[in-house]
Amino acid sequence: MLTDQQLLRIPGPTPIPPSVQRAMSQPMIGHRAPETKDLLQRIKPKLKPIFGTAQDVVVMTGSGTAGLETAVVNAVKPDDEVLVIVTGSFGERFVNICEAYQINTHRYDSEWGKTVTPESVKEYLNKYPKVTAVFATFCETSTGVLNPIAELAEVVHNNSEALFIVDGVSCVGGVETKMDEWGIDLLVTGSQKAMMLPGGLTFVAASERAWNVIEENEHPRFYFDFKKYRNQLANNSTPFTPAGSLLFGLEQVLQLVEEEGLEQVFTRHTQMMQMTRAAFKALDIPLLTNDQAASPTVTAIKPFDFQVKDLRNVLYKEFGMVVAGGQQHMKDEIFRIGHMGYCSPADVLQTISVIELGLHKIGKQVELGKGTQAAQEIYLGY
């Protein structure tokens, strides 16, 4: 392998387009300068279609977790009851944030690798009628599950007065998202996944219903005070120093999305998912999720006759390819392939071909090219 070559195929951070890297290398400008106001003014309207909302999308300097914490501290009071739907490691993160703020937190745990069903959520809402917010994860990064957010939102609103708050960090920008139409009250994503940027920005949008709750919430907050960000965004500014280089990059990302077309972006992600899944099915290597639960942005594979760490090691040492392992109790049981953002069907074909070689290297008997051919056939069928 080339010593400075890395093939990054994890579910975030993801590769960055060269034009975005060039945009981020521009000379720094003052964060209160007219140039920054103009930049934010250009960015604002282009974020709305990605979220599927008429509301302004707030851009904050911080990781995706900062956005999740912002949602919690602005929409929930310490004496409130909330329900957190946990389908994996990142559903667990919402629990940890809520408990850190001493919020009365009820959790609904679903088996890792499976979606949550609206019927089961309805049962929990009937069990806990006082909840003021329900938290869910759109794409559970740790398992590659895409939860049925539209259906979950409908159940929440038909059976409670609770806000519906969604972590979309590992899929917004790569899958169709209709915040307003579906009834999502707070939606969060981050910069380092389908948004094709380094980590360091989080994006949060709130419905009018959520804003009514936020306005009345007297829970103390400072940096994460969402009202400050909304008020400053109205003036094309930020309450605190923004990550200027990332804003330059964000504008270029939005330009690339506009040029490709948002629907084509979604189609490309679905195509890459189907190519990846077809490849492992052809190689007789089990997938963690079924087709209905699968995310277009990340695929989890659960082998039974070879060690995940052995494959990951040989992929990295011989080819410079990085795929992700599992998390928590699935650390050594699964590996995960990210196919989002700056990723194309050609990248998927390369990934599958290299993995076939890696499997051969660790002694797993596979027919070389069989998975690649299956992925190629999916491509040709589009």
Side-chain angles (χ1 to χ4, degrees):
M1 60 172 281
L2 300 175
T3 56
D4 61 348
Q5 183 182 54
Q6 179 171 270
L7 305 175
L8 191 63
R9 290 292 165 250
I10 62 176
T14 60
I16 299 167
S19 64
V20 174
Q21 291 180 323
R22 292 192 295 271
M24 291 189 297
S25 69
Q26 295 179 64
M28 192 51 57
I29 57 177
H31 67 289
R32 301 299 180 214
E35 294 89 343
T36 299
K37 286 184 176 291
D38 292 343
L39 179 59
L40 287 168
Q41 187 173 31
R42 294 193 300 270
I43 285 171
K44 279 197 306 186
K46 294 184 178 182
L47 282 170
K48 294 181 181 182
I50 294 174
F51 274 62
T53 184
Q55 303 293 328
D56 280 334
V57 179
V58 167
V59 183
M60 301 174 62
T61 301
S63 69
T65 302
L68 304 183
E69 187 163 342
T70 296
V72 171
V73 299
N74 284 271
V76 184
K77 300 186 292 295
D79 57 348
D80 283 349
E81 292 185 37
V82 301
L83 173 63
V84 180
I85 300 168
V86 181
T87 54
S89 178
F90 290 91
E92 188 83 37
R93 183 161 298 183
F94 258 143
V95 172
N96 293 336
I97 295 170
C98 289
E99 290 182 343
Y101 285 95
Q102 300 180 324
I103 294 164
N104 187 1
T105 305
H106 307 292
R107 55 186 294 162
Y108 166 63
D109 286 276
S110 177
E111 181 182 347
W112 284 38
K114 297 185 182 298
T115 59
V116 64
T117 64
E119 295 77 14
S120 60
V121 173
K122 181 178 179 180
E123 292 177 7
Y124 268 70
L125 290 170
N126 291 333
K127 185 177 180 181
Y128 303 111
K130 295 182 180 179
V131 298
T132 62
V134 176
F135 295 87
T137 309
F138 197 168
C139 169
E140 177 48 68
T141 322
S142 63
T143 62
V145 160
L146 192 76
N147 281 305
I149 292 300
E151 291 84 352
L152 294 178
E154 183 177 9
V155 165
V156 169
H157 293 313
N158 287 344
N159 294 277
S160 76
E161 296 299 319
L163 296 178
F164 187 51
I165 301 173
V166 176
D167 167 3
V169 170
S170 64
C171 66
V172 170
V175 302
E176 183 178 57
T177 305
K178 297 182 177 180
M179 177 179 165
D180 293 352
E181 181 179 323
W182 294 347
I184 299 172
D185 290 301
L186 276 157
L187 180 60
V188 180
T189 195
S191 56
Q192 78 278 18
K193 295 183 184 282
M195 295 298 288
M196 302 189 289
L197 287 164
L201 295 180
T202 185
F203 309 91
V204 189
S207 68
E208 291 184 10
R209 187 165 173 266
W211 275 118
N212 290 335
V213 173
I214 292 168
E215 290 283 2
E216 296 175 1
N217 187 0
E218 297 180 355
H219 185 259
R221 61 264 197 192
F222 183 74
Y223 187 79
F224 294 142
D225 187 345
F226 204 39
K227 291 185 291 185
K228 292 177 181 175
Y229 288 88
R230 177 197 58 182
N231 295 340
Q232 288 296 317
L233 189 60
N235 296 317
N236 299 312
S237 188
T238 58
F240 309 106
T241 306
S245 295
L246 294 178
L247 292 180
F248 286 137
L250 175 60
E251 182 178 34
Q252 179 58 23
V253 165
L254 296 172
Q255 178 64 30
L256 292 175
V257 170
E258 198 172 77
E259 290 173 1
E260 184 177 359
L262 195 53
E263 290 302 319
Q264 178 54 36
V265 170
F266 300 152
T267 298
R268 171 168 53 85
H269 282 79
T270 300
Q271 181 184 35
M272 292 189 295
M273 171 195 72
Q274 292 177 351
M275 291 171 67
T276 303
R277 294 180 67 82
F280 285 98
K281 289 177 182 178
L283 294 170
D284 292 322
I285 300 175
L287 297 158
L288 179 62
T289 68
N290 62 30
D291 289 345
Q292 291 70 39
S295 170
T297 57
V298 55
T299 295
I301 300 95
K302 188 178 183 182
F304 63 90
D305 57 356
F306 64 87
Q307 295 295 314
V308 166
K309 61 182 179 181
D310 292 341
L311 177 62
R312 294 181 65 215
N313 285 340
V314 75
L315 292 179
Y316 179 70
K317 289 178 180 178
E318 297 210 17
F319 303 101
M321 178 173 286
V322 185
V323 298
Q327 295 185 330
Q328 296 186 24
H329 66 281
M330 285 192 166
K331 178 180 178 182
D332 295 319
E333 294 184 13
I334 66 173
F335 64 97
R336 296 171 295 144
I337 298 171
H339 36 77
M340 70 178 94
Y342 186 56
C343 186
S344 72
D347 295 311
V348 173
L349 292 173
Q350 179 194 47
T351 301
I352 299 304
S353 178
V354 169
I355 287 175
E356 287 180 330
L357 290 172
L359 291 168
H360 183 76
K361 288 278 187 177
I362 64 172
K364 165 69 174 172
Q365 297 300 311
V366 294
E367 181 181 338
L368 293 178
K370 192 173 184 179
T372 305
Q373 180 181 342
Q376 290 172 330
E377 289 172 351
I378 293 293
Y379 178 80
L380 292 173
Y382 263 76

